[in-house]
Amino acid sequence: MLDIFTLGEEILTIKCKKVETFDSSLTLLIDAMFDSMDEADGVGLAAPQVGIDMRLFVVDDQKGTRREFINPEIVETSMDNVNMEEGCLSIPNVYHDIERPKSITLQAQDINGKTFKIKAEGLLARSIQHENDHLNGIVFIDHLSEIEREKMVKAYIRKNHLKKGSVQ
Ligand code: NI
């Protein structure tokens, strides 16, 4: 099982590097990410969350869509936004409504390096946008106002019994 990095770790704040090599070690990493996501009861997991500087994430929309997205790029977003509650395996035990586009079109590569496009809405669109943010060093609470974000960090510290001041 892969270790999941949490709020305060530098890897969660960087813009990740493009994946250039599609080989068996990439397949092994993706398999391990699916296992770790399942073990943690998550619906998505991005490479930086397991300490890896690569532009890739996996998602499971719990409706039969379970796939990897490598070098993803959101190429279209709907004009209408929706509020949906989000959480993150890297910020356990806290949740907050976040407003994002209702549907998106994503272009990405699969495990063989083949480029594809997917149009998504609902939970899948939400997971894709959340995970894609991780590749750019953004976590969901970064979408909140400074005051709301601070409240969330405090709640995160309290609920996970962390030391005060250990996380910014
Ligand atoms: Ni997350």
Side-chain angles (χ1 to χ4, degrees):
M1 216 50 65
L2 302 165
D3 281 338
I4 294 182
F5 286 60
T6 53
L7 194 64
E9 304 266 11
E10 197 194 351
I11 188 78
L12 295 177
T13 66
I14 64 161
K15 187 171 161 67
C16 294
K17 292 194 190 80
K18 205 175 164 195
V19 175
E20 307 279 1
T21 312
F22 294 78
D23 59 5
S24 58
S25 65
L26 184 66
T27 308
L28 285 175
L29 169 63
I30 288 168
D31 285 347
M33 284 174 65
F34 273 119
D35 289 345
S36 300
M37 178 179 73
D38 289 346
E39 181 72 21
D41 261 331
V43 293
L45 187 65
Q49 292 184 274
V50 291
I52 292 169
D53 179 1
M54 280 184 167
R55 302 191 73 77
L56 82 92
F57 61 79
V58 297
V59 297
D60 182 346
D61 77 346
Q62 300 176 320
K63 282 193 278 182
T65 303
R66 178 186 171 88
R67 60 198 298 182
E68 72 284 355
F69 298 94
I70 302 165
N71 299 325
E73 207 176 317
I74 294 171
V75 292
E76 218 179 299
T77 55
S78 62
M79 297 292 285
D80 48 337
N81 292 346
V82 283
N83 257 313
M84 203 183 271
E85 189 176 68
E86 293 188 26
C88 181
L89 294 178
S90 294
I91 319 176
N93 302 316
V94 295
Y95 307 88
H96 203 289
D97 271 3
I98 303 290
E99 190 179 337
R100 297 187 192 263
K102 191 177 179 186
S103 64
I104 55 116
T105 303
L106 186 85
Q107 181 178 296
Q109 285 168 279
D110 68 13
I111 193 110
N112 300 309
K114 190 172 181 295
T115 299
F116 65 95
K117 266 189 193 175
I118 181 174
K119 190 167 162 51
E121 54 179 26
L123 178 62
L124 183 60
R126 182 56 56 142
S127 304
I128 285 173
Q129 293 176 86
H130 175 117
E131 299 310 329
N132 193 63
D133 270 354
H134 276 301
L135 309 185
N136 296 317
I138 297 164
V139 291
F140 78 98
I141 62 171
D142 295 337
H143 289 277
L144 300 172
S145 69
E146 210 173 310
I147 289 168
E148 278 302 310
R149 192 188 186 284
E150 264 174 40
K151 275 191 205 163
M152 288 290 283
V153 171
K154 276 188 187 148
Y156 166 71
I157 288 170
R158 190 176 66 243
K159 290 186 177 174
N160 294 285
H161 312 290
L162 304 174
K163 255 194 246 145
K164 272 185 193 159
S166 61
V167 180
Q168 297 298 309

